[in-house]
């Protein structure tokens, strides 16, 4: 069974750093992509970026380029989303999702993590 | 970036109603469109991919159609479990983008 299990909720102060995780299981982790999606309180879904778990090729949305870093650790089948300096506007739920591959081409998100709530408040 | 516009933003319907949600892309995305359902407090779930392919395990009352810039998600007979928010998303090119969502409410 494919599963993406995310790390728990975080409460941080503005200016602090943070790294949240997404652990894949039930499939060959390095053959797929992992994407990150933001959902601010009461709002819609925003695509942040995506990384190939095998070769770490990464693409960011222009809206998030330079604001976050996406990475993977293949030895533990885990993807990460990190911030160097959080702002109150980073308060949101962050989802990871698997980008499926069909005939060697990246397609839609087929499995999602349960979400990680990040709260940034002084 | 390709922009996705969904309509309506909110939809009130009764059990058994046929419901249609529209998604328009700002340029052609061929059939590279997915639909997701999100219930309160839960992660989104994939319903439809490649505009009209039903994800395994999704009830057949859900269907998708369209290509190019105009797409629709149809629920043939609305059930209590279908009250949720629905999002379209293109995956034609980076960056992928989502529509703003359509909330389906009980009438």
């Amino acid at each position: 069974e494919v599963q993406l299990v995310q790390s728990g909720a975080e409460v941080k102060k503005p200016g602090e750093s943070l790294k949240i995780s997404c652990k894949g299981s039930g499939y060959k982790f390095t053959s797929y992509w992992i994407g990150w999606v933001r959902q601010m309180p009461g709002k819609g879904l925003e695509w942040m970026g995506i990384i190939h778990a095998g070769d770490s090729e990464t693409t960011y949305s222009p809206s998030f380029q330079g604001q976050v870093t996406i990475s993977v650790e293949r030895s533990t089948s885990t993807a990460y989303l990190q911030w160097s300096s959080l702002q109150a506007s980073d308060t949101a739920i962050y989802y990871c999702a698997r980008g499926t591959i069909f005939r060697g081409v990246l397609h839609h998100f087929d499995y999602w993590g349960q979400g990680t709530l990040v709260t940034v408040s002084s | 970036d390709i922009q996705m516009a969904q309509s309506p933003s909110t939809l009130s319907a009764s059990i058994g109603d046929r419901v249609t949600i529209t998604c328009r892309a700002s340029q052609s995305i061929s059939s590279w469109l997915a639909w997701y359902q999100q219930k309160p407090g839960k992660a989104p779930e994939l319903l439809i991919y490649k505009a009209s392919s039903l994800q395994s395990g999704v009830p057949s009352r859900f269907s998708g159609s369209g290509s190019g810039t105009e797409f629709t998600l149809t629920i043939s007979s609305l059930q209590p479990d279908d009250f949720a928010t629905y999002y379209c998303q293109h995956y034609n090119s980076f960056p992928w983008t989502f529509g703003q969502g359509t909330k389906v409410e009980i009438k």
Side-chain angles (χ1 to χ4, degrees):
Chain A
E1 178 194 8
V2 173
Q3 284 193 310
L4 297 173
V5 178
Q6 296 185 230
S7 49
E10 301 274 2
V11 179
K12 292 290 189 178
K13 290 181 166 47
E16 292 186 332
S17 63
L18 176 65
K19 193 174 189 178
I20 62 174
S21 67
C22 168
K23 184 175 176 61
S25 63
Y27 71 99
K28 188 178 180 182
F29 184 74
T30 53
S31 294
Y32 290 80
W33 297 69
I34 295 287
W36 289 93
V37 174
R38 182 175 79 175
Q39 188 166 41
M40 299 178 77
K43 302 298 184 182
L45 305 174
E46 299 174 89
W47 189 85
M48 301 177 70
I50 197 165
I51 187 166
H52 189 278
D55 63 12
S56 296
E57 177 185 346
T58 307
T59 299
Y60 295 92
S61 165
S63 300
F64 293 93
Q65 179 84 47
Q67 308 305 307
V68 296
T69 301
I70 295 171
S71 61
V72 293
E73 184 176 74
R74 281 175 279 280
S75 63
T76 59
S77 299
T78 302
Y80 298 96
L81 178 66
Q82 68 181 86
W83 296 258
S84 59
S85 180
L86 286 160
Q87 304 173 35
S89 58
D90 293 316
T91 295
I93 297 173
Y94 293 87
Y95 294 102
C96 65
R98 190 182 80 163
T100 196
I101 302 292
F102 181 67
R103 294 180 180 173
V105 177
L106 172 62
H107 286 262
H108 53 278
F109 292 139
D110 58 354
Y111 290 91
W112 292 66
Q114 82 276 20
T116 295
L117 174 61
V118 174
T119 303
V120 184
S121 174
S122 55
Chain B
D1 300 359
I2 298 172
Q3 306 303 315
M4 307 300 294
Q6 277 182 245
S7 61
S9 297
T10 306
L11 187 159
S12 296
S14 301
I15 301 298
D17 283 354
R18 183 181 181 87
V19 167
T20 299
I21 299 168
T22 298
C23 181
R24 291 186 174 86
S26 59
Q27 64 188 74
S28 178
I29 57 169
S30 185
S31 296
W32 305 124
L33 184 98
W35 290 96
Y36 302 91
Q37 178 193 65
Q38 186 179 33
K39 296 178 180 177
K42 299 293 187 182
E45 293 186 355
L46 177 66
L47 296 175
I48 302 283
Y49 62 94
K50 207 178 176 187
S52 60
S53 296
L54 192 67
Q55 172 70 352
S56 176
V58 174
S60 59
R61 62 181 179 273
F62 291 93
S63 64
S65 65
S67 66
T69 61
E70 297 264 342
F71 302 86
T72 59
L73 173 70
T74 299
I75 309 173
S76 60
S77 177
L78 197 65
Q79 299 301 302
D81 192 46
D82 302 338
F83 292 97
T85 300
Y86 294 84
Y87 294 92
C88 62
Q89 181 219 342
H90 88 83
Y91 49 100
N92 180 76
S93 58
F94 291 142
W96 296 359
T97 50
F98 291 90
Q100 80 277 17
T102 295
K103 185 175 182 179
V104 176
E105 298 181 326
I106 301 173
K107 190 172 184 180

